Amino acid sequence: AADKAALAKQAKAATGGDDKKNNAKADAEAKKRAEAEESVRLLAEVRATPVGAKKNIKGAVAKTYNPRIVETAWYEWWEACGYFKPDVTSDKPPFVIVIPPPNVTGALHIGHALTNSIQDAVVRWRRMSGYNTVWVPGTDHAGIATQTVVEKKIQREQGKTRHDLGREAFLGEVWGWVGEYGDRICDQLRRLGSSVDWSRQVFTMDENMSRAVNEAFVRMHQSGVIYRDNRLVNWCCKLKTAVSDIEVDYIDVPRRSLLSVPGYSEPVEFGVLTSFAYQLEGGEGEIVVATTRPETMLGDTAVAVHPDDPRYTHMHGKFVIHPINGRRIPIIQDAEIVDMAFGTGAVKITPAHDPNDFKSGKRHNLEFINILDDDGCINEKGEPFTGQPRFKARVTVVDMLKEKGLFRGTADNEMRLGLCSRSKDVIEPVLKPQWWVKCDDMAARACEAVRSGELEIIPKEFESVWFRWLENIRDWCISRQLWWGHRIPAYYVHLQGEASMPGAPSEDSNRWVVGRNKIDAEAVAAERFPGQTFTLAQDEDVLDTWFSSGLFPFSVFNWPEASPDLEKFYPGALLETGHDILFFWVARMVMQGLQLTGKVPFKQVYLHAMVRDAHGRKMSKSLGNVIDPLNVIEGITLEGLHATLVGGNLEGKEAEKARAGQKADYPDGIEECGTDALRFALCAYTSQARDINLDIKRVVAYRHWCNKLYNAIRFASMNLPEDYVPPQQPLQVDPATLPHASQWLLSKLSAASAAVVKAMGAYEFAVATQKVYSFWQYELCDVYIELMKPVMALDDSDPVQAATKRGTRDALWIALDAGLRLLHPFMPFITEELWQRLPRHPDAQMVPSIMLADYPQAVSAWENSQLETDYEYLQSIITKVRKLRTDYGLQKQRPQLYLVVSSPDKAAVLQRSAAEIAALTVSSEVVVVVVGAAGQAQAGPPSGCGVAIVDEATVAHLLLVGVLDPALEVAKLEKKTTEIAGRLEAMAKRVAFAGYAEKTPETVKEEDEDKRVKMEAERAAAQSALADMQLLLKGS
């Protein structure tokens, strides 16, 4: 009967427990539904705000932070009020920055979000610090990239090529693309909170910008910096255009390898040295040469030997016979190109297809024979292989050599292979007449600008990279065989009755004339060819995109016109961009700025790190790790991420690979984070390193931190009564009139302000974000607000207590107001939303927006180093006691805390701060026990305490008698130590398993060791707590 009764009692208890859990779950779900409904209602209200009107924020603060509600309407209001525009009549010092114009090839990605988060943080900080800020937005036409994307789109949707459409119709398609994606980019910039002056927005193909490009070309041509020459270019057969040296990526091929090449269904062999023989004229023997590109022998015009090589002395002045066309090829002596120790010591010379051979051909006045057409196929100079793709001809030429008995074998050969950075096609050196920029003098001036301090590069480590590249610079080919871009303002003069054609190696470079327009060019032609009848044909090519981008810092201010904006705002203060375009863009801006304006275009260059994914991989569409910042701001499902790949330029296998990458990285999609959290995370990551491994989870963590800020303002709204009036002159508040905790808070606020301002001035954004985060998290929220709670319960009828409450409230208001202003450059939306909710003194100078408020500075009168030292000491005690509570599983219990201290000074601090310690350690009472000089203590702490040593003079004793059931805790801890021991044993067996040391990756070994160390520490803590509890049990 007794057993049945006990079972019934247990069943009833279990049922009651289940009911309690179910009720709690139902309550939680109901609360969640209510909050969701409230969020929907509030979102509808703020979205009803007329465009450009100020959001109505009257009423209670929402219970939880919702980024959509917070971020709605503020940007449109800022823009409508003209807060982003400079005051052209202001005598404030200007701070000018131009945006690195995003390419209109598509939407912005996380890398752009980093750039704009940093730039906007700097601009907002400077604006709040008393500068007349100008931030110019714009987009870049991105010649090769945009044309390629649109060509793929037309092929995919219409099954046509650009040649099927014709130049004008194709450009119409491109302008349609620009309209779509240019607007999308601007929308993204607005969502990111970028405070750019939209009235100055430019596109690099705008009329004003195009006029600047034409003027730059004409002036640089007139000064001899731009010239026409028939030289080797880096030819991309896939894109059918020349590309610059820095648009060529090199890969190392260590040995014979098969590689995929665009346009070829089968892999192509590289890393092979093919040897073959040339027969000497007259049948006097042979000379063996070797090459990694046997197809180029079709264009050979010499064989070179070293003049001091005795093996070939008897061949000096003789000829070999080309085995295909019978051409006589001279044997030349060239000590610069021949290494006697390499191979046979004889080198085939193909001047039209190799940079070193080109120089040799110039030295020896050789014939230059181009054997390739623009598609990379053998032309008529390579009969009988005409029409064969170059890498197919590589095979058939070797077959021909074998048939003629001239093949002498192959060998593995380590080599570097140049690939087009855009198409990944193998670059082909090809002889073509093009327009070139002479760079040596401009590069020297750019180097001197850095050495003299006229231009500062940050981080300084990139100075050596700057010098190394510019001091070894080669002339820059600026012709591009595209339709999309700035058409070159050069015209070829066709004289009546003559058939000279532009673009061919045989063109007459004297026939080219340059003018700002066709009328100017005709005048130049008439002067050069007086009395002759002629027609002009404009160059079909366009300029390299980087040529127009290099003019951006001054063309945006209407250069070459002598405009007031150019006078006032050029040169700029800062150029902020990624280090990957230091040469593509930054160096060219500096060179062209010095050449055309006589000034460096900006005083400082800040180069931020590159954004990679959480695994350290480069962002790549084919990997599926390229993320639209709006997907982080708004959140997106995995299916939504997959949908972003539809309609793109990825082929079937690449698209499948990208979907797999998205599923691996974001199995549940991406949680909604909001703009503020994304911006703060990106700035916090920026520690002037080469790479940023962005983990979206960290962005999510900052989104949750925004809720902390929200709760701080909610606490203020509940504890600052409706009739509360803040100080009229906050900076003049005398800290001596405030409670100690308030004095400490203002001292920490002053220190945080100084640290953030210093970090911002040094572009140390990781430091700046860490300092402002620490102030809000660890000083304002974790300490001060917790200390306020018992103060707010004081009696207002008592004058002393009322003054304490007033001083505490004033300090809170000052800290919230300044703390939001400190944070604003990084989190513009939530800071505006919360700052607008703070009460204002009726007679204080009214500032309509936080973005126009003064940025906080250090206040020397608030600084109190002794008080900060005292609070650091208190914090060390609080940390130790909180750990004791965690170790013993205390949650709501409020035990007594005894602090045994041997230092009189520290004892005084503790006695003064006992109430604060009690509040922050959830203790019912704090008893300070002072050990006297003779070592005799007051009544010491009772037995049955958990003990923690704080420092050499302080020991904390947390009374556990009556708070915990020692027997129950002993059982729990014994179970825990047994469980940890089991886990440690299992790991030890796995590590001892045969093959672990040899086969396990180092990263996994490191993870295992880290787990083992943590488990050992966990076991030690549990064993220590168990020993304490056993003593407590014994004492009871």
Side-chain angles (χ1 to χ4, degrees), residues 680 751-756 759 765-777 779 822:
F680 195 85
S753 300
V756 173
F765 303 105
V767 174
T769 51
Q770 185 270 326
K771 293 296 183 183
V772 72
Y773 180 93
S774 292
F775 174 74
W776 272 94
Q777 180 74 26
E779 288 147 13
L822 269 181

Side-chain angles (χ1 to χ4, degrees), residues 115-405:
T115 298
N116 285 278
S117 296
I118 291 173
Q119 289 178 14
D120 193 51
V122 173
V123 170
R124 287 178 183 270
W125 169 61
R126 289 292 187 184
R127 187 184 290 119
M128 296 173 75
S129 300
Y131 286 80
N132 191 23
T133 57
V134 185
W135 187 12
V136 181
T139 47
D140 193 284
H141 66 280
I144 293 177
T146 302
Q147 177 162 316
T148 301
V149 168
V150 176
E151 284 193 77
K152 287 184 177 180
K153 178 175 180 287
I154 293 170
Q155 181 64 46
R156 185 174 63 250
E157 296 177 356
Q158 303 178 29
K160 295 180 179 179
T161 68
R162 64 181 165 113
H163 298 284
D164 294 331
L165 296 181
R167 187 163 190 154
E168 293 306 315
F170 175 75
L171 290 179
E173 294 280 349
V174 180
W175 278 109
W177 174 279
V178 169
E180 177 184 350
Y181 279 93
D183 291 345
R184 183 175 178 183
I185 287 168
C186 293
D187 290 342
Q188 287 178 299
L189 290 173
R190 285 181 165 91
R191 289 295 303 277
L192 286 167
S194 302
S195 57
V196 297
D197 181 359
W198 288 107
S199 68
R200 297 175 182 275
Q201 180 184 352
V202 295
F203 175 52
T204 52
M205 290 287 286
D206 287 345
E207 184 178 347
N208 287 345
M209 303 293 279
S210 296
R211 186 173 67 250
V213 170
N214 276 6
E215 182 67 26
F217 188 96
V218 171
R219 290 191 187 186
M220 293 172 74
H221 180 263
Q222 289 173 343
S223 64
V225 175
I226 288 179
Y227 63 94
R228 182 81 172 181
D229 197 9
N230 191 25
R231 302 175 59 175
L232 284 185
V233 299
N234 301 305
W235 188 259
C236 175
C237 301
K238 171 78 171 173
L239 301 177
K240 299 183 183 64
T241 183
V243 297
S244 66
D245 289 344
I246 55 178
E247 290 172 303
V248 179
D249 297 331
Y250 288 93
I251 62 171
D252 292 319
V253 182
R255 65 187 67 84
R256 189 185 307 250
S257 305
L258 292 174
L259 303 177
S260 296
V261 176
Y264 289 82
S265 57
E266 299 294 328
V268 177
E269 188 174 59
F270 296 93
V272 178
L273 196 64
T274 300
S275 299
F276 67 93
Y278 272 119
Q279 298 293 323
L280 270 67
E281 187 179 39
E284 300 178 16
E286 67 179 30
I287 186 169
V288 177
V289 295
T291 178
T292 57
R293 301 159 65 208
E295 69 279 8
T296 62
M297 65 87 63
L298 300 172
D300 285 358
T301 58
V303 173
V305 297
H306 197 283
D308 300 330
D309 192 336
R311 293 174 293 179
Y312 301 111
T313 304
H314 66 289
M315 295 185 183
H316 291 183
K318 295 188 177 184
F319 292 82
V320 297
I321 302 300
H322 199 285
I324 294 177
N325 52 39
R327 188 169 60 243
R328 294 176 79 231
I329 298 177
I331 297 174
I332 62 175
Q333 295 81 58
D334 192 325
E336 292 188 38
I337 199 170
V338 178
D339 178 0
M340 288 188 288
F342 181 77
T344 63
V347 178
K348 62 186 283 297
I349 304 296
T350 319
H353 290 284
D354 181 89
N356 293 320
D357 293 3
F358 176 86
K359 295 175 185 177
S360 180
K362 288 289 187 181
R363 287 194 296 270
H364 296 277
N365 197 27
L366 300 175
E367 184 181 5
F368 289 71
I369 300 175
N370 183 0
I371 63 166
L372 294 175
D373 64 17
D374 289 351
D375 292 314
C377 294
I378 305 299
N379 62 22
E380 71 282 356
K381 297 292 181 66
E383 286 284 1
F385 303 96
T386 302
Q388 291 187 12
R390 53 187 166 148
F391 296 127
K392 181 179 180 182
R394 175 170 296 184
V395 176
T396 55
V397 165
V398 170
D399 289 343
M400 177 275 300
L401 292 170
K402 290 178 179 178
E403 290 173 7
K404 291 181 177 290

